[in-house]
Amino acid sequence: RRLAVAEERVRIARDLHDAAGHAINVITVRAGAARLRQDPERSQAALETIEEIARQTAAEIDGIVGSLRDPGSSSGTAHGPLGLASLDTLVAQHTSAGLDVGVSRYGLPQTLEHATDQAAYRIVQEALTNAARHGTGAVQVELAFGATALELTISNPAPDEAAPKPGCGHGLIGMRERATLLGGSFDAARVNGAFRVSACLPYRGPTP
């Protein structure tokens, strides 16, 4: 029972880190754009985006924290975690903040198990957040549905001094943990002047 509680707390910490980190990064970029632009209409659009992202993230965090409460508590109802069905919205948020994001899909899309679907979304979310913070160009997201696993690849140009150090930082550690807990694999490395994140997520979790 103690192990299950500890694992759940780690999962909640990862989700809070990813949700809050993504939102703060987009809000920071949009707020800076609104402050610097002399165009009232574009500034207004930036402020509306900030408001919407803040509301969405507040609801998401409420849902995450709701899992800590007694299921019979009347203090709120937890919302379902995000999955790849929300990928287009995630990309649109970063695009509106000025990040050039391209998405490519290969293979026949599969119905993913709950844990795999959430892990895939969170890995892409964190990789895009890192690209917005440290990258210097367009980001390419690739989803390849193979016979037994989903292959994720997210890459973007990044100078040596700006790229995240592989194996360091809560974001990269969290992505690796999400993949390995599913029996998959994860890698983050610089390749030909770009920072590339790769994850392999089996459609079925590890066999007990």
Side-chain angles (χ1 to χ4, degrees):
R1 189 180 302 112
R2 290 177 179 174
L3 179 59
V5 170
E7 290 177 345
E8 181 66 4
R9 287 177 175 172
V10 171
R11 182 193 67 77
I12 291 169
R14 284 197 300 262
D15 284 349
L16 285 172
H17 171 275
D18 293 351
H22 160 70
I24 290 171
N25 184 75
V26 175
I27 287 172
T28 299
V29 173
R30 296 295 283 173
R35 179 173 56 84
L36 295 174
R37 287 173 176 161
Q38 301 299 316
D39 186 338
E41 290 187 1
R42 298 187 70 180
S43 294
Q44 179 66 26
L47 294 174
E48 290 174 356
T49 299
I50 290 171
E51 180 181 14
E52 179 62 22
I53 291 175
R55 286 179 176 175
Q56 290 176 355
T57 305
E60 185 179 357
I61 290 176
D62 183 64
I64 294 170
V65 176
S67 62
L68 290 171
R69 304 185 182 123
D70 188 307
S73 171
S74 60
S75 56
T77 301
H79 300 277
L82 297 173
L84 287 181
S86 300
L87 180 59
D88 289 343
T89 300
L90 175 66
V91 170
Q93 290 174 352
H94 279 284
T95 300
S96 70
L99 185 65
D100 184 3
V101 183
V103 179
S104 300
R105 295 175 173 85
Y106 306 96
L108 183 64
Q110 303 288 323
T111 299
L112 303 178
E113 291 185 345
H114 167 79
T116 305
D117 191 29
Q118 184 185 13
Y121 177 87
R122 292 300 190 190
I123 289 172
V124 175
Q125 181 185 52
E126 181 63 22
L128 289 178
T129 299
N130 284 341
R133 289 175 177 169
H134 308 293
T136 58
V139 185
Q140 183 61 40
V141 178
E142 296 181 1
L143 292 80
F145 292 89
T148 60
L150 169 64
E151 301 276 355
L152 296 173
T153 304
I154 306 96
S155 59
N156 63 277
D160 290 337
E161 63 275 11
K165 300 298 185 293
C168 301
H170 294 295
L172 293 178
I173 292 173
M175 287 190 279
R176 185 179 303 279
E177 289 177 345
R178 289 181 187 279
T180 55
L181 284 173
L182 294 171
S185 60
F186 175 85
D187 183 63
R190 287 187 55 79
V191 179
N192 298 326
F195 190 77
R196 185 176 68 189
V197 167
S198 302
C200 176
L201 306 180
Y203 297 138
R204 303 293 178 184
T207 303

